[in-house]
Amino acid sequence: MYFFSYNFREKHWREPGKRAGLPKGRFRRRKERRFCRISTKPSLFWSTGTLQRFHLLLIEYVPGDGYITSCRGENRNRKLSRERRMNMLELKHVKKSYDNVTILEDINLQIEDGEIISILGPSGCGKTTLLNLVLGLTPADSGEIIFDGKDITNVPMEERGFNIVFQDYALFPNLNVYKNITYGLKNKPDISTKEEVDEFIDLLGLREHLDKKIEQLSGGQKQRVALARTMVMKPKILLLDEPLSALDGVIKESIKEKIKEIARDFHLTTIIVTHDPEEALTLSDKVLIVNKGCISQYGAPQEIITRPQNNFVKEFILNQLEIKKNNIFALFQQSMTTSMQAV
């Protein structure tokens, strides 16, 4: 077992050495952090909003398995409190109105680093407005938005470092797939190397489509192109507005798995807007249910299913799932009955 270390101040990789050969005192008081991305090239490792805080990153090498991030280095910043480390994004008493009509009222929310959060609710409940407030596209009337311990309420969208995949994908029809993916790198070419861009292309299965025009792609392929274009910019938070609404069946399930894989592998906090309870509960670590501009419930999927806090959650969430479950069971029961009669 060998270890590579990367010095973030001097910006170079140190020579590999066995663990036993490392100086014992070098890594005292280190802040442990796991990075789970597996690669054959140590230079491809990054973790949005976390990696840049460390002087030294150790990469554990297991022959035949590639490089696996294992040990972490010393914190560059002053010591962070447990609450600040855990609550990456926090909204405090956020309110938003349009023309004296309240859209969001007293929103309080804490999102931990690396979580997948779904904002779920009926049309017009304020979920897209909430996403735009986090993105910085829409200003809040009052309240605070805290990211990584800093108040970003009045920070412009372009300075927040968050990226969004819109519902209609917002791809350029005059450019091929590869040029769409790398479009954002024209102004910021140092964000991702060619190797990193290639890694996202392979991760999302787009290698064979790079020369195609957007009009030649299916809905699922367009969604993957939009995801790749966002990921090469290395967002601090990934925002998705109804990412699966235009997709069906197997394609929808494959995109769900890709979203979970990206969030898990790159430890990337992901916020998704959806109106589909099944989508939210099967994709997310936590679900935020919004109704009439207020939070009805916020918790893990199992908690929402077993302990709904009000009638709206029961009717809007559980009734839809119950209807789907009964329809599926009825189909299977009918199929079994037909098979038995045939025998």
Side-chain angles (χ1 to χ4, degrees), residues 116-130:
I116 301 178
I117 304 297
S118 282
I119 304 174
L120 175 64
S123 298
C125 70
K127 55 185 184 293
T128 299
T129 300
L130 181 55

Side-chain angles (χ1 to χ4, degrees), residues 49 70 225 234 252:
S70 175
V225 173
K234 296 183 180 176
K252 177 183 285 190

Side-chain angles (χ1 to χ4, degrees), residues 94-107 124-130 133 141 290-294:
V94 171
K95 182 179 179 179
K96 182 63 184 177
S97 301
Y98 289 108
D99 298 327
N100 296 322
V101 177
T102 300
I103 306 300
L104 293 171
E105 178 70 40
D106 196 31
I107 300 296
C125 70
K127 55 185 184 293
T128 299
T129 300
L130 181 55
L133 286 171
D141 294 340
V290 181
N291 183 36
K292 297 179 180 178
C294 298

Side-chain angles (χ1 to χ4, degrees), residues 37 195 197-207 258:
R37 184 69 187 149
E195 288 78 11
V197 173
D198 287 340
E199 184 184 16
F200 289 121
I201 288 170
D202 291 333
L203 176 66
L204 290 164
L206 294 170
R207 177 70 58 187
K258 287 299 180 183

Side-chain angles (χ1 to χ4, degrees), residues 204-223:
L204 290 164
L206 294 170
R207 177 70 58 187
E208 62 185 291
H209 306 295
L210 294 181
D211 295 325
K212 292 181 180 179
K213 293 289 187 180
I214 298 304
E215 62 186 17
Q216 296 176 281
L217 303 179
S218 66
Q221 290 164 350
K222 290 177 183 178
Q223 183 64 272

Side-chain angles (χ1 to χ4, degrees), residues 35-238:
F35 300 92
C36 301
R37 184 69 187 149
I38 298 177
S39 175
T40 56
K41 297 180 180 180
S43 59
L44 297 184
F45 289 107
W46 62 278
S47 183
T48 304
T50 53
L51 186 61
Q52 63 268 28
R53 298 181 193 151
F54 297 88
H55 291 172
L56 200 62
L57 175 68
L58 293 183
I59 305 300
E60 178 184 346
Y61 175 67
V62 180
D65 292 340
Y67 294 89
I68 306 174
T69 49
S70 175
C71 298
R72 281 57 55 186
E74 190 175 355
N75 198 321
R76 179 183 299 176
N77 303 324
R78 62 185 179 181
K79 186 175 180 180
L80 302 177
S81 67
R82 177 176 178 81
E83 180 180 1
R84 182 175 165 187
R85 288 200 309 271
M86 294 299 292
N87 297 327
M88 184 184 186
L89 180 69
E90 187 173 2
L91 279 66
K92 298 181 178 180
H93 307 292
V94 171
K95 182 179 179 179
K96 182 63 184 177
S97 301
Y98 289 108
D99 298 327
N100 296 322
V101 177
T102 300
I103 306 300
L104 293 171
E105 178 70 40
D106 196 31
I107 300 296
N108 293 280
L109 175 66
Q110 293 180 344
I111 298 176
E112 297 180 4
D113 190 11
E115 283 189 319
I116 301 178
I117 304 297
S118 282
I119 304 174
L120 175 64
S123 298
C125 70
K127 55 185 184 293
T128 299
T129 300
L130 181 55
L131 194 75
N132 290 336
L133 286 171
V134 174
L135 178 63
L137 189 62
T138 302
D141 294 340
S142 61
E144 295 178 292
I145 301 175
I146 310 296
F147 174 68
D148 202 19
K150 298 177 182 179
D151 188 345
I152 63 167
T153 309
N154 298 314
V155 174
M157 176 179 66
E158 60 271 15
E159 296 180 16
R160 294 191 184 188
F162 305 163
N163 281 44
I164 186 169
V165 176
F166 291 102
Q167 185 175 358
D168 61 357
Y169 315 132
L171 300 173
F172 300 107
N174 58 313
L175 302 178
N176 64 22
V177 169
Y178 185 79
K179 289 181 178 179
N180 265 278
I181 293 171
T182 58
Y183 185 83
L185 298 177
K186 288 184 176 181
N187 296 324
K188 297 180 180 180
D190 296 331
I191 288 183
S192 290
T193 65
K194 186 181 184 304
E195 288 78 11
E196 288 172 321
V197 173
D198 287 340
E199 184 184 16
F200 289 121
I201 288 170
D202 291 333
L203 176 66
L204 290 164
L206 294 170
R207 177 70 58 187
E208 62 185 291
H209 306 295
L210 294 181
D211 295 325
K212 292 181 180 179
K213 293 289 187 180
I214 298 304
E215 62 186 17
Q216 296 176 281
L217 303 179
S218 66
Q221 290 164 350
K222 290 177 183 178
Q223 183 64 272
R224 283 183 279 154
V225 173
L227 276 172
R229 184 180 62 180
T230 300
M231 291 302 298
V232 298
M233 301 307 293
K234 296 183 180 176
K236 296 175 183 177
I237 292 180
L238 175 62

Side-chain angles (χ1 to χ4, degrees), residues 294-338:
C294 298
I295 296 176
S296 285
Q297 188 168 350
Y298 179 49
Q302 192 63 30
E303 177 186 341
I304 289 172
I305 291 173
T306 57
R307 296 190 298 276
Q309 291 184 355
N310 52 58
N311 288 332
F312 173 77
V313 175
K314 290 179 182 178
E315 293 172 5
F316 180 72
I317 303 299
L318 300 186
N319 281 359
Q320 287 192 54
L321 294 176
E322 187 71 23
I323 291 170
K324 284 188 177 182
K325 183 188 75 173
N326 291 339
N327 288 340
I328 291 171
F329 282 167
L331 286 172
F332 275 101
Q333 188 173 12
Q334 183 179 3
S335 176
M336 290 177 63
T337 302
T338 303

